[in-house]
Amino acid sequence: MSSIIQLLPDHVANQIAAGEVVQRPASVVKELLENAVDAKATDIKLIIKDAGKSLVQVIDNGLGMSVTDARLCFERHATSKIRQAEDLFSLHTKGFRGEALASIAAIAHVEMKTKQDQEELGTHIVIEGSKFVSQDVAVLPKGTSFSVKNLFFNIPARRNFLKSETVEHRHIVDEFQRVALAHPNIHFTYYHNGSDLFNLPQSNSRQRIVNIFSGKTNEKLVPVQEETEIVSIQGFVSKPEFAKKNRGEQFFFVNDRFIKSGYLHHAVMAAYEGLLKDGAQPSYFLYLNVPPNTIDINIHPTKTEIKFDDEHALYAILRSAIKHSLGQFNVAPILDFDRDSNLDTPYNYKNQEASTPTIQVDGAFNPFSDETPNKHFTTYRKTENTANWESLYVGLKQDTEEIGNIEFESDEVTGSLFNENEIEQATNKTYQIHKKYIVNPIKSGMVIVDQQRAHQRVLYEQFLTNMTVHQASSQQLLFPLNLFFSSSEMKLISELQLSLVNTGFVFEATNDDHVVISGLPINVTESEVSIVLEQLLSDLQDGIPESSFSQNDSIAKSMAKSLAVKTGTYLTEKEQENLVNGLFACKEPNVSPFQKPTFITMRVEDLDKKFAL
């Protein structure tokens, strides 16, 4: 019987390995940027076209490669980082497996130009799907340039699994930010479709964070620093009042390598205990340095997960360091029985001498005289004519009554949930139970409405109608609002701007790091604007739907979720009736926008059965 096991050809093995290493264009960006950093480059340029599907190019001024190394780097398991297995526990570089370039060359058109500083000429290599097309000598500047074109050209199934350009570009930006934050001493430049998105000069960690996320990031940051034998911690955390709904600005770096760790994230959240609202997420940029022999990096294909020798000690140190920083900068309350904050000298008067008070006396003042007091002295007796004080309230009662009788135009109800004999809820009183449910009697029994889901349905249909018909009403603000966002968030807002205008928002100006809003939808208060936009950005962080209807639907759902009355909110009897009537005036009152039931009915017969037991 013939053998059925055989060795795979190299190009097939490389394509299989590419499935682990290269999942999307962002994976190529990560590998090439890390190689440039390992080459000791001080200036790195990233050039992207069509979200990496057409071109990913990384140009650096690093060490470059010799002719032999340039050819050998595309072979599997060819690496300059390790020589033996023990080297895995003393790594100081990014890549070490030697599979990245071989995997990339197997599924794309790769062009590499490289030259060492001491050499006069460089090497130009072209590879297409693991096949060497050409290798020439060329006049090149110092460093290396990698161009990856037509990604997944020979694996159409994998290319079809790629998301929209918006989603793929967001993943590339994430990878770029992670590498740029880890190495503030390197000048990074990012170009997408010919436009300059990031230009990050060499700086310190704080300035690099501000340059990437712009806005008022500098005001949010609280420095964290701790030195122990186990770990050295440096970085920044955000003040509690700047916490957001999403977890976008949360970064851990261990030995200048970005990692993901739910365990360390829990330590950060424990330090913020009692300072954050439910569901709020703080921003943090934390750099941990540990001895290389105390961690294991080689446990995940993308090397974003690390195993620590002593996780419990690291957890305790990280939590206490953040807690100490928040207390030190008066962000968190501190417990000090010997200190009275009321006796603190204001900063402006700290080094100033106290002025001696002076007293002036009018010797000619006669308290029994009818003459006007001397004008040179101020008297604190203020006389007012209060004879006509009742005139201040003339017409107030009448105006109040007129305001109380305002009638609101309501949508015409074309259909009814119950038959005409059962529509007694308009005259029956409603009841609120546990600030969560609204009970409304009907002829056959009662209706129990979930107030939060019901309000979500009402708001959802209102927003969707406004965006579809383009007849949204706006309330103008006396003072425009300035809201600051990061560059990636500003890009999302600019794409959603037209749909937001259709809901009632009025944008006076849109800048690189903030927007100026001069008008709001009629059911959005000024204090809720930032909450609504943050929730919207959080819901759409995985990408904006391509079709306009899906986009409007997503925006309407997000805004309805943010603005709906929450469980635990007390509603007056009038508010309860309006909510119930508004729900049954909707086209689909049975479910919320998220397909959850909004109400249940309970018949008298059902209650009778309960008591018959």
Side-chain angles (χ1 to χ4, degrees):
M1 183 177 181
S2 61
S3 59
I4 59 176
I5 297 177
Q6 58 184 355
L7 292 175
L8 290 173
D10 288 341
H11 69 282
V12 177
N14 286 338
Q15 288 185 359
I16 294 174
E20 291 185 0
V21 179
V22 184
Q23 300 174 350
R24 57 190 352 137
S27 306
V28 177
V29 171
K30 175 180 182 294
E31 299 293 346
L32 296 184
L33 287 178
E34 289 182 347
N35 285 344
V37 172
D38 287 340
K40 297 180 172 58
T42 59
D43 192 309
I44 300 175
K45 294 181 177 66
L46 173 62
I47 302 172
I48 302 293
K49 286 186 179 178
D50 301 329
K53 298 177 184 178
S54 299
L55 173 67
V56 174
Q57 184 177 9
V58 174
I59 305 172
D60 67 71
N61 64 346
L63 299 175
M65 287 181 280
S66 64
V67 178
T68 305
D69 289 343
R71 184 67 181 261
L72 193 61
C73 72
F74 290 101
E75 300 295 331
R76 289 193 69 194
H77 309 306
T79 178
S80 62
K81 315 298 172 56
I82 59 175
R83 292 288 184 269
Q84 53 190 357
E86 287 74 12
D87 294 339
L88 289 172
F89 298 99
S90 60
L91 288 170
H92 298 278
T93 57
K94 304 290 185 183
F96 55 86
R97 296 188 178 188
E99 289 186 341
L101 296 183
S103 300
I104 293 171
I107 54 174
H109 296 166
V110 178
E111 182 178 359
M112 184 185 72
K113 300 176 182 179
T114 184
K115 174 185 169 297
Q116 292 179 322
D117 191 20
Q118 66 273 16
E119 300 292 334
E120 294 184 1
L121 298 174
T123 306
H124 181 198
I125 294 178
V126 178
I127 303 177
E128 296 180 359
S130 293
K131 297 179 181 179
F132 276 86
V133 177
S134 64
Q135 178 174 341
D136 302 314
V137 177
V139 178
L140 300 169
K142 173 197 172 185
T144 305
S145 170
F146 267 100
S147 298
V148 180
K149 304 175 183 178
N150 304 322
L151 193 65
F152 300 125
F153 79 100
N154 53 354
I155 312 180
R158 176 63 65 87
R159 190 178 181 90
N160 292 336
F161 273 102
L162 294 179
K163 305 295 183 182
S164 65
E165 283 197 14
T166 303
V167 177
E168 295 299 338
H169 180 252
R170 186 180 60 81
H171 284 286
I172 293 175
V173 171
D174 288 344
E175 294 294 348
F176 175 81
Q177 290 177 349
R178 291 166 182 173
V179 178
L181 286 171
H183 302 278
N185 59 325
I186 300 177
H187 180 199
F188 286 93
T189 315
Y190 180 18
Y191 302 92
H192 182 238
N193 290 339
S195 60
D196 184 357
L197 292 187
F198 291 97
N199 189 356
L200 310 174
Q202 295 180 0
S203 60
N204 54 32
S205 297
R206 189 183 193 113
Q207 190 61 44
R208 176 57 56 88
I209 295 170
V210 174
N211 288 339
I212 290 179
F213 295 99
S214 63
K216 292 189 175 181
T217 306
N218 194 39
E219 301 177 12
K220 307 175 185 178
L221 301 180
V222 175
V224 177
Q225 189 167 3
E226 187 68 41
E227 294 282 345
T228 66
E229 295 180 356
I230 299 176
V231 61
S232 171
I233 302 175
Q234 290 184 337
F236 304 90
V237 295
S238 69
K239 298 176 182 177
E241 61 264 29
F242 292 103
K244 297 184 176 181
K245 291 286 186 181
N246 59 359
R247 299 176 57 174
E249 298 177 7
Q250 296 180 345
F251 297 88
F252 281 116
F253 299 95
V254 175
N255 295 353
D256 293 336
R257 181 192 301 274
F258 171 78
I259 68 159
K260 298 177 181 178
S261 174
Y263 190 68
L264 296 183
H265 172 74
H266 190 275
V268 176
M269 298 302 293
Y272 277 91
E273 185 178 2
L275 301 177
L276 298 176
K277 299 178 181 178
D278 292 339
Q281 294 287 334
S283 301
Y284 53 79
F285 309 86
L286 297 171
Y287 300 81
L288 285 67
N289 282 300
V290 298
N293 60 348
T294 62
I295 57 175
D296 184 5
I297 301 171
N298 195 28
I299 62 171
H300 194 271
T302 60
K303 302 184 286 292
T304 55
E305 296 182 9
I306 289 180
K307 183 174 178 58
F308 298 92
D309 277 359
D310 194 350
E311 285 187 334
H312 297 290
L314 196 62
Y315 181 100
I317 294 171
L318 181 61
R319 182 184 62 179
S320 62
I322 296 174
K323 214 173 187 64
H324 173 70
S325 294
L326 293 175
Q328 184 180 9
F329 290 89
N330 292 329
V331 175
I334 57 177
L335 192 62
D336 189 351
F337 295 105
D338 299 328
R339 176 177 173 274
D340 186 358
S341 59
N342 295 323
L343 301 179
D344 290 347
T345 303
Y347 180 78
N348 292 335
Y349 299 94
K350 189 173 183 180
N351 298 320
Q352 294 183 10
E353 295 183 359
S355 58
T356 305
T358 60
I359 302 175
Q360 291 179 329
V361 179
D362 184 4
F365 175 69
N366 184 359
F368 303 100
S369 176
D370 295 333
E371 298 179 359
T372 306
N374 194 335
K375 298 293 183 181
H376 296 287
F377 297 92
T378 304
T379 60
Y380 296 96
R381 298 176 60 193
K382 188 174 181 181
T383 59
E384 295 182 357
N385 185 10
T386 58
N388 298 323
W389 65 270
E390 294 182 351
S391 62
L392 297 173
Y393 300 93
V394 173
L396 182 61
K397 184 177 181 181
Q398 179 180 358
D399 294 340
T400 305
E401 293 176 354
E402 291 178 358
I403 294 174
N405 293 329
I406 291 178
E407 293 185 359
F408 295 92
E409 181 180 355
S410 59
D411 296 333
E412 181 181 355
V413 182
T414 56
S416 177
L417 182 68
F418 309 102
N419 57 47
E420 294 182 357
N421 293 329
E422 290 184 336
I423 304 180
E424 295 182 1
Q425 65 257 34
T427 57
N428 288 329
K429 188 173 182 178
T430 57
Y431 304 91
Q432 189 181 29
I433 300 178
H434 292 295
K435 298 180 182 179
K436 183 176 183 179
Y437 299 109
I438 299 174
V439 178
N440 194 22
I442 58 176
K443 187 174 182 179
S444 61
M446 60 181 174
V447 177
I448 304 175
V449 179
D450 187 308
Q451 65 183 35
Q452 183 172 350
R453 294 179 183 177
H455 201 202
Q456 286 177 353
R457 165 53 65 177
V458 173
L459 292 175
Y460 168 73
E461 293 200 4
Q462 287 179 0
F463 287 130
L464 205 57
T465 302
N466 291 340
M467 286 187 283
T468 306
V469 184
H470 304 289
Q471 291 182 350
S473 300
S474 300
Q475 51 180 338
Q476 295 300 309
L477 297 175
L478 183 60
F479 301 104
L481 287 175
N482 289 319
L483 300 178
F484 290 83
F485 298 95
S486 64
S487 55
S488 58
E489 291 173 337
M490 282 301 305
K491 190 174 186 301
L492 268 176
I493 289 177
S494 61
E495 295 178 12
L496 298 170
Q497 185 170 344
L498 180 59
S499 298
L500 290 174
V501 169
N502 291 333
T503 63
F505 284 95
V506 178
F507 291 87
E508 188 173 301
T510 303
N511 300 306
D512 294 336
D513 60 349
H514 72 281
V515 293
V516 181
I517 298 177
S518 59
L520 304 176
I522 56 175
N523 47 3
V524 179
T525 63
E526 189 172 337
S527 60
E528 294 173 328
V529 179
S530 59
I531 299 175
V532 171
L533 292 181
E534 282 184 13
Q535 182 67 55
L536 181 60
L537 294 173
S538 176
D539 293 340
L540 297 179
Q541 62 179 347
D542 292 330
I544 301 173
E546 298 290 339
S547 65
S548 60
F549 175 78
S550 299
Q551 188 178 124
N552 292 341
D553 183 71
S554 300
I555 294 175
K557 284 181 179 178
S558 177
M559 293 181 64
K561 180 167 64 175
S562 302
L563 298 171
V565 60
K566 301 298 187 290
T567 297
T569 303
Y570 171 75
L571 299 180
T572 64
E573 184 178 341
K574 188 66 176 177
E575 290 172 336
Q576 298 171 29
E577 292 179 2
N578 290 339
L579 181 57
V580 173
N581 294 335
L583 173 65
F584 295 135
C586 292
K587 295 180 180 178
E588 295 183 16
N590 298 319
V591 293
S592 72
F594 307 98
Q595 303 305 311
K596 299 292 181 66
T598 57
F599 68 91
I600 60 172
T601 57
M602 185 169 289
R603 299 178 303 168
V604 176
E605 292 83 353
D606 298 330
L607 294 174
D608 293 339
K609 291 179 181 179
K610 295 289 184 182
F611 286 102
L613 295 177

